[in-house]
Amino acid sequence: MRSMRHLVIILCGLLSLILLSCHDGSRHEATLRWADSLNRNHIEIPSDSQLLEAVDYYDRFGTSNERMRAHYLLGCAYRDMGEAPKALETFYSAIDCADTLSSDCDYETLMRLHSQAGNIMIRQYAMPDNALLEFSKASHYASVISDTLSNLSLEAQQANAYYEKHTFDSVLFIADKLIESSRHNRNTRVFLSTTGMLVTPIRVCLETEDYDKAQKYLFQIDFKTLFKEHQSRPLGILLGFQGEIFLQKNELDSAESCFRKSIEHNTSVTNKQFAYHGLLTLYKLRGEIDSVMVYSNLYTHYNDSSIIQLSTTDTQRAYHLYNYARNEHLAKINQAKTHRLTIIVIFLFVLIAVFSMIVYHIIRKSRNSISDITITLKSTEEL
């Protein structure tokens, strides 16, 4: 069902592009709507080619908001293509397009830009302090447009940054603040209970062996809604966390059920590794040797896969950084060549102009001399 919805969105976007291709403005607006639809539905934008054309068009003819939106979606395309350096550069280009003094400034897009930049800072560059600065700016713009839910999400993203800094007290402080705010607002409570905003605080509690506090946070999660809406992304890891708590309480049957459901609803290799490790520990406690052997092999397999995946990710990141640096270097070389060529052209133009003036002056002087001689000859003949 989900894949069918994705296909419909992509086909509708392409159809819009075809129908509106007769007019540049309409065609590029259709491109932005299509990319925006994919982005909001968490579907990867497949290419940057059409968006590059849209950016070029709006840079020449668009308003500040249109330019910012076009650059933002192009940055999202680079993000989906795994080209973090280009994505970050494009996001900052989009921020530069914003006119915050204008009464109709698109603060929502500006908020998203700073949020995206912050996420790249954490995931690609391990720069949590820079990420916190970006999230703070995003939170400011969320407050400007009174977007409470985005502000909550940004608080959770700040918790991720504090986790990377190993500032666990700040992570737990933010979690307690989110839970407290959810008690006074139903929309906030629903949002908190059906998203992955408490994943990082629960992870901190498990790592510090504060299982009671981890269970307190898990009580906030509406597992029934997560199952109903097939939200595998937070559901898989949260079930693994619940299994770990049951395991520590020696409630082995409940732990086994959670770990198995976690594997079923997980797409992440790392999260599956966590669940398989839980099952391995569980069967060791039960003394079931055959099962220990099976899950030992499975855990080893996913552990190796996780290491390979991390290694591949690091290699890809290094590759994209190398490409970006190389392209920047080539761009500077080409810019220097263009600059030198411009100087040479100007010098030749000036040289030709001076030479032309000298030739013109010589010819004019020669003509004047011939004219003087002719006049002298005529005067002599008259005498």
Side-chain angles (χ1 to χ4, degrees):
M1 181 66 71
R2 189 177 180 87
S3 60
M4 181 62 71
R5 181 166 64 89
H6 289 181
L7 181 62
V8 169
I9 291 171
I10 293 173
L11 290 176
C12 288
L14 290 173
L15 181 61
S16 299
L17 291 178
I18 294 169
L19 291 174
L20 296 172
S21 60
C22 56
H23 186 274
D24 272 353
S26 298
R27 178 165 61 87
H28 295 309
E29 174 60 24
T31 297
L32 296 189
R33 287 182 180 177
W34 173 64
D36 189 47
S37 177
L38 294 178
N39 192 50
R40 288 179 183 272
N41 284 279
H42 308 289
I43 306 171
E44 291 187 356
I45 301 171
S47 171
D48 64 339
S49 55
Q50 292 171 333
L51 285 167
L52 281 168
E53 292 179 13
V55 165
D56 181 62
Y57 174 82
Y58 285 111
D59 277 347
R60 288 181 290 138
F61 305 111
T63 64
S64 58
N65 284 340
E66 289 171 334
R67 292 196 302 274
M68 176 169 61
R69 182 180 172 220
H71 281 270
Y72 165 64
L73 291 170
L74 177 60
C76 290
Y78 287 137
R79 174 204 63 202
D80 293 343
M81 294 161 65
E83 298 189 18
K86 290 177 76 172
L88 192 61
E89 181 184 36
T90 308
F91 286 144
Y92 283 137
S93 295
I95 291 169
D96 289 339
C97 293
D99 182 6
T100 54
L101 298 178
S102 173
S103 59
D104 65 344
C105 179
D106 185 359
Y107 287 111
E108 181 183 354
T109 299
L110 195 53
M111 171 194 71
R112 294 180 185 280
L113 281 162
H114 285 291
S115 174
Q116 290 290 337
N119 278 313
I120 289 178
M121 291 290 186
I122 291 178
R123 295 173 185 173
Q124 300 294 331
Y125 296 108
M127 298 169 65
D129 289 321
N130 299 66
L132 285 168
L133 181 62
E134 295 298 334
F135 291 144
S136 176
K137 291 177 181 178
S139 184
H140 166 71
Y141 292 122
S143 299
V144 169
I145 59 176
S146 302
D147 190 341
T148 306
L149 296 184
S150 289
N151 241 330
L152 286 175
S153 180
L154 287 163
E155 292 239 30
Q157 291 178 63
Q158 289 181 52
N160 294 338
Y162 283 120
Y163 177 80
E164 293 298 326
K165 283 168 61 76
H166 299 282
T167 314
F168 292 161
D169 288 346
S170 297
V171 174
L172 300 181
F173 173 79
I174 289 173
D176 292 337
K177 182 180 175 183
L178 290 173
I179 292 171
E180 182 62 31
S181 65
S182 72
R183 291 174 181 168
H184 309 291
N185 186 305
R186 183 180 179 281
N187 290 336
T188 301
R189 186 163 60 254
V190 170
F191 187 63
L192 183 68
S193 65
T194 56
T195 61
M197 289 198 296
L198 292 176
V199 166
T200 300
I202 296 170
R203 191 189 303 278
V204 166
C205 291
L206 294 180
E207 289 180 6
T208 56
E209 299 183 353
D210 190 347
Y211 299 109
D212 290 337
K213 192 153 196 170
Q215 186 64 75
K216 170 193 166 185
Y217 291 151
L218 277 165
F219 281 146
Q220 307 298 319
I221 306 299
D222 184 356
F223 282 101
K224 185 177 179 180
T225 299
L226 290 177
F227 274 111
K228 184 179 178 180
E229 296 182 359
H230 305 288
Q231 295 194 39
S232 296
R233 189 174 181 181
L235 182 57
I237 187 59
L238 289 170
L239 284 167
F241 289 161
Q242 184 64 74
E244 182 66 21
I245 292 172
F246 282 136
L247 188 64
Q248 295 302 321
K249 293 180 177 180
N250 208 34
E251 298 178 21
L252 302 187
D253 290 343
S254 297
E256 182 179 11
S257 175
C258 285
F259 285 136
R260 291 193 180 282
K261 288 178 182 177
S262 174
I263 293 166
E264 180 185 345
H265 290 87
N266 251 318
T267 55
S268 165
V269 171
T270 304
N271 292 343
K272 282 190 175 184
Q273 174 198 348
F274 181 86
Y276 279 122
H277 181 267
L279 287 171
L280 172 61
T281 306
L282 184 148
Y283 287 119
K284 283 181 179 178
L285 291 172
R286 284 180 175 172
E288 298 180 16
I289 305 302
D290 291 342
S291 296
V292 168
M293 292 295 294
V294 170
Y295 286 98
S296 176
N297 290 333
L298 283 169
Y299 170 67
T300 302
H301 168 73
Y302 276 93
N303 187 46
D304 291 344
S305 299
S306 178
I307 292 169
I308 291 169
Q309 188 179 66
L310 288 172
S311 177
T312 302
T313 301
D314 289 340
T315 302
Q316 288 174 341
R317 185 182 300 130
Y319 172 76
H320 288 306
L321 284 170
Y322 169 77
N323 273 350
Y324 180 76
R326 187 171 184 276
N327 289 336
E328 284 284 290
H329 178 65
L330 291 175
K332 287 179 180 178
I333 291 174
N334 289 333
Q335 187 178 15
K337 285 181 180 178
T338 304
H339 182 65
R340 285 197 297 269
L341 184 61
T342 303
I343 291 174
I344 291 170
V345 169
I346 292 172
F347 175 75
L348 289 174
F349 177 78
V350 171
L351 189 64
I352 291 170
V354 171
F355 180 75
S356 300
M357 289 177 65
I358 293 172
V359 170
Y360 173 75
H361 181 70
I362 292 171
I363 292 172
R364 186 176 179 184
K365 190 174 181 181
S366 299
R367 286 178 178 174
N368 288 338
S369 298
I370 292 170
S371 179
D372 290 341
I373 291 170
T374 304
I375 292 170
T376 302
L377 289 173
K378 283 184 179 180
S379 298
T380 304
E381 288 176 358
E382 289 175 359
L383 291 173

